[in-house]
Amino acid sequence: MTTIDLYAHRRRCNGTSGFLLLCLILMLLCVLSTMLVQMGIALYLCGKRGYGLDTAMQAVLSPTFMGAVSTSGVGYLVYSLVCLAAVWIWMGKPAFSFSTYRRMGPASFFQILCLFLSVQLISTWLSSWMEAVLNCFGLSAMAALEQASALDGDLAMELYAGFLAPVVEEILFRGGVLRALRPAGKGFAIVFSALLFGVFHGNLVQIPFAFLVGLVLGYVAAEYSLGWCILLHWINNCVLGMLLERWPLAQGVIVLAAAVGSVLILVVQRKRIGAYLHNLPPFPRGTVLVFFQSPATVALLVFTLLSTLGGITPISGG
């Protein structure tokens, strides 16, 4: 079994989780600060129109205005730039590298795309199962489900969710996190970058989906290139999520077809897949325990756990 310097590994894991925790805090600050700016601008415009302070405050704090501000994507656009700058400071140019390790042919892309899209079906099943379990205790995660699937904000939110999020998240996780964990081995980097990708979403519904998707994207980043990860992520967010959400039947047919294709691919390619997994070196001794013992990892898990619990609400009576 491969051995590594566990002290260096602890620092690496601590630094990686700490950076992700910083990114979450930066996201919250960007969103909250832009909301405050929008409220300030609204108050100023109300004043220009001759509204009194009380009337202006009522208008700004009204459910209509606050709902529009809370679903605005302006803060996320700001965060995108801040996050990319932070990744550059953290990892430098390598995190933005689109170097190709090996060529991906049309057949390989189609097979990976099927596996990637079929995760949506697995995620839907898991969401239904978790909701059924929560219902037994008088709880529901439907608010989290709606939050996870809601892309109907303003133009800025659609721009972020459909186009910028795939770029930012892939550079952050596959360009930065996976690369940072790579000294512990390719397999370790793929699995634990996917785990951090799931945890980072802080949403009961999105965590398993993001983890499974992260495994596919981690494999693509490690074997092909970051560019293919961005393309797959863009297909999921923009094409499957935004364009086809208006035609749920078409969306369902595509996901079901991808799932059937994935089963066939797994059967036909089982020997190649088995050989690939067999050739991956096992996790070096102690690396998993060290990962979960890192203070920043513990802090990140607690932070996201609280966010996850916030998405679970009592079932309303009636």
Side-chain angles (χ1 to χ4, degrees):
M1 179 178 290
T2 305
T3 58
I4 65 171
D5 184 348
L6 291 180
Y7 178 74
H9 179 66
R10 180 186 296 273
R11 288 191 306 166
R12 193 179 302 115
C13 293
N14 202 52
T16 302
S17 297
F19 182 76
L20 290 178
L21 186 59
L22 172 64
C23 287
L24 282 174
I25 294 172
L26 289 174
M27 180 187 294
L28 290 175
L29 290 176
C30 289
V31 172
L32 290 176
S33 60
T34 52
M35 286 179 64
L36 291 174
V37 169
Q38 288 174 293
M39 293 171 66
I41 293 174
L43 283 174
Y44 172 76
L45 294 176
C46 287
K48 291 284 288 184
R49 294 169 184 164
Y51 292 177
L53 180 59
D54 290 342
T55 305
M57 288 298 295
Q58 290 178 3
V60 170
L61 297 178
S62 66
T64 301
F65 181 81
M66 292 304 296
V69 170
S70 64
T71 57
S72 173
V74 175
Y76 293 97
L77 294 181
V78 175
Y79 163 73
S80 297
L81 299 177
V82 173
C83 182
L84 290 177
V87 173
W88 182 274
I89 295 172
W90 176 45
M91 289 292 292
K93 188 176 179 180
F96 297 79
S97 173
F98 287 82
S99 299
T100 300
Y101 300 109
R102 59 191 176 104
R103 180 179 175 274
M104 181 184 290
S108 296
F109 178 76
F110 175 76
Q111 293 175 27
I112 291 172
L113 181 62
C114 283
L115 293 171
F116 184 80
L117 295 180
S118 64
V119 172
Q120 186 72 52
L121 194 63
I122 300 174
S123 175
T124 300
W125 177 82
L126 287 174
S127 300
S128 301
W129 180 81
M130 287 188 293
E131 180 66 14
V133 172
L134 289 172
N135 289 168
C136 294
F137 297 94
L139 301 172
S140 174
M142 289 306 296
L145 177 61
E146 293 171 359
Q147 177 187 351
S149 59
L151 294 173
D152 56 350
D154 60 4
L155 180 61
M157 179 60 82
E158 293 188 354
L159 178 61
Y160 169 76
F163 296 95
L164 281 181
V167 177
V168 174
E169 291 183 355
E170 290 313 307
I171 290 175
L172 172 59
F173 283 94
R174 260 57 68 176
V177 173
L178 188 144
R179 189 180 297 273
L181 299 178
R182 189 65 183 264
K186 184 191 296 185
F188 183 93
I190 291 174
V191 172
F192 283 89
S193 65
L195 177 63
L196 290 172
F197 184 56
V199 167
F200 188 82
H201 285 76
N203 183 301
L204 184 63
V205 177
Q206 286 182 303
I207 286 175
F209 172 72
F211 171 68
L212 294 174
V213 163
L215 291 176
V216 178
L217 292 172
Y219 164 78
V220 172
E223 298 296 333
Y224 296 97
S225 79
L226 180 63
W228 288 111
C229 294
I230 293 175
L231 176 60
L232 288 168
H233 204 146
W234 179 82
I235 290 174
N236 178 76
N237 285 31
C238 187
V239 179
L240 193 66
M242 293 180 63
L243 295 181
L244 292 180
E245 70 172 352
R246 297 173 175 83
W247 299 283
L249 179 60
Q251 186 183 59
V253 169
I254 291 175
V255 171
L256 183 59
V260 173
S262 296
V263 173
L264 295 176
I265 291 167
L266 292 175
V267 171
V268 174
Q269 301 286 0
R270 63 186 183 280
K271 291 185 178 179
R272 290 184 59 186
I273 296 173
Y276 177 82
L277 295 175
H278 179 74
N279 290 329
L280 283 176
F283 298 165
R285 188 182 303 276
T287 52
V288 174
L289 184 61
V290 166
F291 174 85
F292 287 107
Q293 287 179 337
S294 302
T297 300
V298 174
L300 177 64
L301 292 175
V302 171
F303 186 92
T304 53
L305 175 62
L306 294 175
S307 175
T308 300
L309 293 177
I312 302 175
T313 56
I315 298 176
S316 57

